[in-house]
Amino acid sequence: MTKSIAVLSGDGIGPEVMQEALKVLDKLEKITGVTVERTFADVGGIAIDNHGKALPESTVATCEASDAILFGSVGGPQWEKLPGPEQPERGALLPLRKHFNLYANLRPAIVFRGLAGASPLKAEIIGDELNVLVVRELTGGLYFGKKERQTDWASDTMVYTRMEIERIAHIAFQAARMRGKKLCSIDKANVLTSMVFWREVVTEVSQQYPDVSLSHMYVDNAAMQLVRNPRQFDVILAENMFGDILSDEASMIAGSLGMLPSASLAGAPEPGKGAFGLFEPSGGSAPDIAGQGIANPIAQILSLGLLFQYGFGMPEVYGRVHNAVQQVLTRGFRTRDIQTEGTTLVDTARMGELITSAL
Ligand code: NAD
């Protein structure tokens, strides 16, 4: 089988961690027998320098011709003086999401075994390991509803159509089916009419997934439960704004941003085929540590794992990558951001090599 991906490394630590993910990709090609053709394109600050804009048409064309986008990160102090919409992040990521209708954002918050010390929560709350997946609706709700501004008042509108709720619910149920078979849908149905509708539609969709247990939770309670007892969750489903807030909260539980991958999908992944999507670390371009060879490549490597899982419909490959990362951490190797007493400090390239050989 041959697949093609657009490789958009971007700025700061993006190219450094991407290099390690590509080492892992070479190995995965051998293991899976899938040939993955790579086309490199500029995005973010480097694209502004080389082409005059953060998302050149040529980069969009490269993405359109590919089965998936592997994205690094964009941004840096040298582009911060540009007007907001022209800056690397707003000028590249938002238009990419819009252009490809990436309506589902999946962000796992993972605490690997042995890394509970990196979490700001007490070790007994984290337990042996933690793996919560936040599925966030990315193109509807309060952020995209009608906005009005007058001298003495302003308003935003939360609108969800049945179609928008159904399609994100299907993605969340299917993800839960491949994991712990538990889905918690977040709403504020006690106050918001749009959220009463959300709850009704999610409940309707649940009838197609009798093997997944569905529960509902108000968003304020969910914010509290995530720090009180995060292990009660498997998959969390939330509308755009609630998901924005809860996924950031969940990612902090994991400790370092350098560990967390994400996927943004344009459809429900079909078995063996996947769905078009953009796969990237949850963190940014980390200009404070760029160019020093000390960035943690694990988020980028796990993003590649998610690309196989959701982009190519090969969930078993994500499992292999996850296990290789766990093995390297269990042997005590750490990059600086997750280093604790008694562990062995390694740089970005060495971490990439260790994970590749563990595979
Ligand atoms: P950041 O995520 O880049 O960095 C926050 C902190 O986390 C820093 O201390 C950084 O060193 C650390 N960190 C992040 N990734 C790491 C890794 N892989 N290994 C080790 N440490 C890591 O967020 P920021 O400082 O707020 O933003 C920096 C730039 O990144 C800005 O220009 C911002 O616009 C951009 N940004 C881009 C994206 C994206 O490309 N998706 C997302 C967020 C921020």
Side-chain angles (χ1 to χ4, degrees), residues 57-97:
E57 284 78 17
S58 55
T59 298
V60 175
T62 298
C63 297
E64 278 172 349
S66 306
D67 295 313
I69 305 169
L70 186 61
F71 193 95
S73 50
V74 292
Q78 58 271 56
W79 301 286
E80 269 163 21
K81 290 202 179 67
L82 290 171
E86 290 172 31
Q87 287 185 16
E89 214 184 329
R90 277 180 66 190
L93 260 178
L94 298 186
L96 267 176
R97 280 183 191 154

Short mmCIF file of all heavy atoms in Angstrom, two decimals, residues 57-97:
data_model
loop_
_atom_site.label_atom_id
_atom_site.label_comp_id
_atom_site.label_asym_id
_atom_site.label_seq_id
_atom_site.Cartn_x
_atom_site.Cartn_y
_atom_site.Cartn_z
N GLU A 57 -0.43 29.25 -1.25
CA GLU A 57 -1.32 28.38 -2.05
C GLU A 57 -0.62 27.06 -2.37
O GLU A 57 -1.25 26.00 -2.42
CB GLU A 57 -1.72 29.06 -3.38
CG GLU A 57 -2.78 30.15 -3.25
CD GLU A 57 -2.22 31.46 -2.73
OE1 GLU A 57 -0.98 31.64 -2.76
OE2 GLU A 57 -3.02 32.30 -2.26
N SER A 58 0.71 27.13 -2.60
CA SER A 58 1.44 25.91 -2.94
C SER A 58 1.38 24.90 -1.79
O SER A 58 1.32 23.68 -2.01
CB SER A 58 2.90 26.25 -3.28
OG SER A 58 3.48 26.96 -2.21
N THR A 59 1.37 25.41 -0.56
CA THR A 59 1.29 24.50 0.60
C THR A 59 -0.10 23.88 0.68
O THR A 59 -0.24 22.68 0.93
CB THR A 59 1.61 25.28 1.90
OG1 THR A 59 2.95 25.76 1.80
CG2 THR A 59 1.48 24.41 3.13
N VAL A 60 -1.13 24.69 0.43
CA VAL A 60 -2.50 24.16 0.42
C VAL A 60 -2.62 23.07 -0.65
O VAL A 60 -3.19 22.00 -0.42
CB VAL A 60 -3.53 25.28 0.17
CG1 VAL A 60 -4.94 24.71 0.04
CG2 VAL A 60 -3.48 26.31 1.30
N ALA A 61 -2.01 23.33 -1.82
CA ALA A 61 -2.08 22.37 -2.93
C ALA A 61 -1.38 21.05 -2.53
O ALA A 61 -1.88 19.96 -2.83
CB ALA A 61 -1.44 22.96 -4.18
N THR A 62 -0.24 21.17 -1.85
CA THR A 62 0.47 19.97 -1.38
C THR A 62 -0.42 19.16 -0.43
O THR A 62 -0.51 17.94 -0.52
CB THR A 62 1.78 20.37 -0.65
OG1 THR A 62 2.61 21.05 -1.59
CG2 THR A 62 2.51 19.18 -0.08
N CYS A 63 -1.10 19.87 0.48
CA CYS A 63 -1.99 19.19 1.45
C CYS A 63 -3.15 18.53 0.72
O CYS A 63 -3.55 17.40 1.05
CB CYS A 63 -2.52 20.17 2.49
SG CYS A 63 -1.23 20.90 3.50
N GLU A 64 -3.71 19.24 -0.26
CA GLU A 64 -4.85 18.69 -1.00
C GLU A 64 -4.49 17.40 -1.74
O GLU A 64 -5.31 16.51 -1.89
CB GLU A 64 -5.37 19.72 -2.03
CG GLU A 64 -6.27 20.75 -1.40
CD GLU A 64 -6.63 21.90 -2.36
OE1 GLU A 64 -6.00 21.99 -3.43
OE2 GLU A 64 -7.53 22.68 -2.00
N ALA A 65 -3.22 17.33 -2.16
CA ALA A 65 -2.78 16.16 -2.92
C ALA A 65 -2.34 15.00 -2.01
O ALA A 65 -1.88 13.97 -2.49
CB ALA A 65 -1.63 16.56 -3.84
N SER A 66 -2.47 15.18 -0.68
CA SER A 66 -1.97 14.19 0.27
C SER A 66 -3.12 13.49 1.00
O SER A 66 -4.24 14.00 1.04
CB SER A 66 -1.06 14.86 1.30
OG SER A 66 -0.04 15.58 0.65
N ASP A 67 -2.81 12.36 1.62
CA ASP A 67 -3.81 11.64 2.41
C ASP A 67 -3.92 12.19 3.83
O ASP A 67 -4.91 11.94 4.52
CB ASP A 67 -3.44 10.15 2.50
CG ASP A 67 -3.49 9.48 1.13
OD1 ASP A 67 -4.49 9.69 0.42
OD2 ASP A 67 -2.52 8.77 0.78
N ALA A 68 -2.87 12.90 4.28
CA ALA A 68 -2.88 13.44 5.64
C ALA A 68 -1.82 14.53 5.75
O ALA A 68 -0.90 14.59 4.93
CB ALA A 68 -2.58 12.33 6.65
N ILE A 69 -1.97 15.36 6.79
CA ILE A 69 -0.98 16.41 7.04
C ILE A 69 -0.27 16.12 8.36
O ILE A 69 -0.93 15.96 9.40
CB ILE A 69 -1.65 17.80 7.14
CG1 ILE A 69 -2.50 18.10 5.90
CG2 ILE A 69 -0.60 18.89 7.37
CD1 ILE A 69 -3.40 19.34 6.06
N LEU A 70 1.05 16.02 8.31
CA LEU A 70 1.82 15.93 9.55
C LEU A 70 2.40 17.32 9.80
O LEU A 70 3.21 17.81 9.01
CB LEU A 70 2.93 14.87 9.43
CG LEU A 70 3.71 14.60 10.72
CD1 LEU A 70 2.80 14.08 11.83
CD2 LEU A 70 4.82 13.57 10.47
N PHE A 71 1.95 17.93 10.89
CA PHE A 71 2.24 19.34 11.15
C PHE A 71 3.16 19.44 12.36
O PHE A 71 3.00 18.70 13.33
CB PHE A 71 0.89 20.03 11.44
CG PHE A 71 0.92 21.54 11.43
CD1 PHE A 71 0.58 22.24 10.27
CD2 PHE A 71 1.25 22.25 12.57
CE1 PHE A 71 0.58 23.63 10.26
CE2 PHE A 71 1.26 23.64 12.57
CZ PHE A 71 0.92 24.33 11.40
N GLY A 72 4.14 20.36 12.30
CA GLY A 72 5.03 20.58 13.44
C GLY A 72 4.42 21.63 14.36
O GLY A 72 3.46 21.38 15.07
N SER A 73 4.96 22.83 14.32
CA SER A 73 4.36 23.94 15.05
C SER A 73 4.85 25.23 14.42
O SER A 73 5.87 25.24 13.74
CB SER A 73 4.75 23.90 16.53
OG SER A 73 6.14 23.75 16.64
N VAL A 74 4.09 26.29 14.63
CA VAL A 74 4.45 27.55 13.98
C VAL A 74 4.50 28.70 14.99
O VAL A 74 3.90 28.63 16.05
CB VAL A 74 3.43 27.91 12.86
CG1 VAL A 74 3.53 26.93 11.71
CG2 VAL A 74 2.02 27.98 13.40
N GLY A 75 5.24 29.75 14.62
CA GLY A 75 5.26 30.97 15.43
C GLY A 75 6.63 31.24 16.02
O GLY A 75 7.50 30.37 16.05
N GLY A 76 6.79 32.49 16.45
CA GLY A 76 8.04 32.90 17.07
C GLY A 76 8.05 34.41 17.20
O GLY A 76 7.27 35.10 16.54
N PRO A 77 8.94 34.92 18.07
CA PRO A 77 8.93 36.35 18.38
C PRO A 77 9.14 37.23 17.14
O PRO A 77 8.62 38.35 17.07
CB PRO A 77 10.09 36.52 19.37
CG PRO A 77 10.82 35.22 19.42
CD PRO A 77 9.94 34.18 18.83
N GLN A 78 9.88 36.73 16.13
CA GLN A 78 10.19 37.59 14.98
C GLN A 78 8.97 37.93 14.14
O GLN A 78 9.01 38.83 13.32
CB GLN A 78 11.31 36.99 14.12
CG GLN A 78 11.09 35.61 13.56
CD GLN A 78 11.57 34.50 14.49
OE1 GLN A 78 11.16 34.42 15.65
NE2 GLN A 78 12.43 33.62 14.01
N TRP A 79 7.85 37.19 14.33
CA TRP A 79 6.65 37.47 13.52
C TRP A 79 5.52 38.08 14.35
O TRP A 79 4.41 38.25 13.87
CB TRP A 79 6.18 36.19 12.83
CG TRP A 79 7.24 35.60 11.93
CD1 TRP A 79 7.64 36.08 10.71
CD2 TRP A 79 8.04 34.45 12.19
NE1 TRP A 79 8.64 35.30 10.21
CE2 TRP A 79 8.91 34.29 11.08
CE3 TRP A 79 8.11 33.53 13.24
CZ2 TRP A 79 9.84 33.25 11.01
CZ3 TRP A 79 9.03 32.50 13.17
CH2 TRP A 79 9.89 32.37 12.06
N GLU A 80 5.80 38.37 15.63
CA GLU A 80 4.73 38.83 16.52
C GLU A 80 4.27 40.26 16.26
O GLU A 80 3.20 40.67 16.71
CB GLU A 80 5.13 38.64 17.99
CG GLU A 80 4.70 37.28 18.50
CD GLU A 80 5.40 36.85 19.78
OE1 GLU A 80 5.92 37.74 20.50
OE2 GLU A 80 5.42 35.63 20.05
N LYS A 81 5.08 41.03 15.50
CA LYS A 81 4.71 42.42 15.24
C LYS A 81 3.74 42.52 14.05
O LYS A 81 3.16 43.57 13.80
CB LYS A 81 5.95 43.26 14.97
CG LYS A 81 6.79 43.45 16.21
CD LYS A 81 7.71 44.69 16.11
CE LYS A 81 8.52 44.87 17.37
NZ LYS A 81 9.51 43.78 17.55
N LEU A 82 3.56 41.45 13.32
CA LEU A 82 2.63 41.46 12.17
C LEU A 82 1.19 41.60 12.68
O LEU A 82 0.89 41.20 13.80
CB LEU A 82 2.76 40.14 11.39
CG LEU A 82 4.06 39.93 10.62
CD1 LEU A 82 4.13 38.50 10.10
CD2 LEU A 82 4.16 40.92 9.47
N PRO A 83 0.30 42.15 11.84
CA PRO A 83 -1.12 42.19 12.24
C PRO A 83 -1.62 40.76 12.55
O PRO A 83 -1.19 39.80 11.87
CB PRO A 83 -1.82 42.74 11.00
CG PRO A 83 -0.75 43.34 10.15
CD PRO A 83 0.54 42.69 10.51
N GLY A 84 -2.50 40.63 13.55
CA GLY A 84 -2.96 39.33 14.04
C GLY A 84 -3.25 38.30 12.96
O GLY A 84 -2.69 37.20 12.97
N PRO A 85 -4.12 38.63 11.98
CA PRO A 85 -4.50 37.61 11.00
C PRO A 85 -3.35 37.14 10.11
O PRO A 85 -3.45 36.10 9.46
CB PRO A 85 -5.56 38.33 10.14
CG PRO A 85 -6.01 39.49 10.94
CD PRO A 85 -4.87 39.88 11.82
N GLU A 86 -2.26 37.93 10.07
CA GLU A 86 -1.11 37.53 9.24
C GLU A 86 -0.06 36.74 10.01
O GLU A 86 0.91 36.25 9.45
CB GLU A 86 -0.44 38.79 8.66
CG GLU A 86 -1.28 39.48 7.61
CD GLU A 86 -0.68 40.82 7.18
OE1 GLU A 86 0.56 40.95 7.20
OE2 GLU A 86 -1.47 41.73 6.86
N GLN A 87 -0.23 36.67 11.33
CA GLN A 87 0.77 35.96 12.14
C GLN A 87 0.75 34.46 11.86
O GLN A 87 -0.26 33.93 11.38
CB GLN A 87 0.52 36.24 13.62
CG GLN A 87 0.91 37.65 14.01
CD GLN A 87 0.77 37.91 15.50
OE1 GLN A 87 0.67 36.99 16.29
NE2 GLN A 87 0.76 39.18 15.87
N PRO A 88 1.86 33.77 12.16
CA PRO A 88 1.97 32.37 11.77
C PRO A 88 0.79 31.48 12.18
O PRO A 88 0.24 30.75 11.36
CB PRO A 88 3.27 31.92 12.45
CG PRO A 88 4.08 33.17 12.54
CD PRO A 88 3.10 34.28 12.77
N GLU A 89 0.40 31.56 13.48
CA GLU A 89 -0.63 30.64 13.95
C GLU A 89 -1.99 30.97 13.34
O GLU A 89 -2.64 30.12 12.74
CB GLU A 89 -0.69 30.70 15.48
CG GLU A 89 -1.02 29.38 16.10
CD GLU A 89 -1.18 29.48 17.61
OE1 GLU A 89 -0.51 30.33 18.25
OE2 GLU A 89 -1.98 28.71 18.14
N ARG A 90 -2.40 32.25 13.48
CA ARG A 90 -3.72 32.64 12.95
C ARG A 90 -3.75 32.60 11.43
O ARG A 90 -4.77 32.31 10.83
CB ARG A 90 -4.10 34.04 13.46
CG ARG A 90 -4.71 33.97 14.85
CD ARG A 90 -5.08 35.32 15.37
NE ARG A 90 -6.14 35.97 14.63
CZ ARG A 90 -6.49 37.24 14.79
NH1 ARG A 90 -5.85 37.98 15.67
NH2 ARG A 90 -7.48 37.76 14.09
N GLY A 91 -2.59 32.91 10.82
CA GLY A 91 -2.55 32.96 9.36
C GLY A 91 -2.41 31.60 8.70
O GLY A 91 -2.60 31.47 7.50
N ALA A 92 -2.08 30.57 9.49
CA ALA A 92 -1.87 29.25 8.88
C ALA A 92 -2.84 28.20 9.42
O ALA A 92 -3.53 27.54 8.66
CB ALA A 92 -0.43 28.80 9.10
N LEU A 93 -2.89 28.08 10.75
CA LEU A 93 -3.66 26.96 11.31
C LEU A 93 -5.16 27.14 11.14
O LEU A 93 -5.88 26.21 10.74
CB LEU A 93 -3.33 26.81 12.79
CG LEU A 93 -2.33 25.71 13.12
CD1 LEU A 93 -2.05 25.69 14.61
CD2 LEU A 93 -2.82 24.33 12.67
N LEU A 94 -5.65 28.37 11.42
CA LEU A 94 -7.10 28.59 11.30
C LEU A 94 -7.57 28.41 9.85
O LEU A 94 -8.54 27.69 9.61
CB LEU A 94 -7.51 29.96 11.87
CG LEU A 94 -7.23 30.15 13.37
CD1 LEU A 94 -7.81 31.48 13.87
CD2 LEU A 94 -7.80 29.01 14.20
N PRO A 95 -6.86 29.01 8.87
CA PRO A 95 -7.28 28.78 7.49
C PRO A 95 -7.18 27.31 7.06
O PRO A 95 -8.01 26.83 6.29
CB PRO A 95 -6.30 29.62 6.66
CG PRO A 95 -5.74 30.61 7.61
CD PRO A 95 -5.78 30.01 8.96
N LEU A 96 -6.18 26.58 7.57
CA LEU A 96 -6.07 25.15 7.23
C LEU A 96 -7.28 24.39 7.76
O LEU A 96 -7.88 23.56 7.07
CB LEU A 96 -4.80 24.55 7.85
CG LEU A 96 -3.54 24.52 7.00
CD1 LEU A 96 -2.37 23.98 7.81
CD2 LEU A 96 -3.73 23.68 5.73
N ARG A 97 -7.66 24.68 9.02
CA ARG A 97 -8.84 24.02 9.61
C ARG A 97 -10.08 24.31 8.80
O ARG A 97 -10.91 23.44 8.55
CB ARG A 97 -9.07 24.55 11.03
CG ARG A 97 -8.18 23.92 12.05
CD ARG A 97 -8.51 24.45 13.43
NE ARG A 97 -7.49 24.04 14.37
CZ ARG A 97 -7.20 24.70 15.47
NH1 ARG A 97 -7.85 25.81 15.79
NH2 ARG A 97 -6.26 24.28 16.28
#
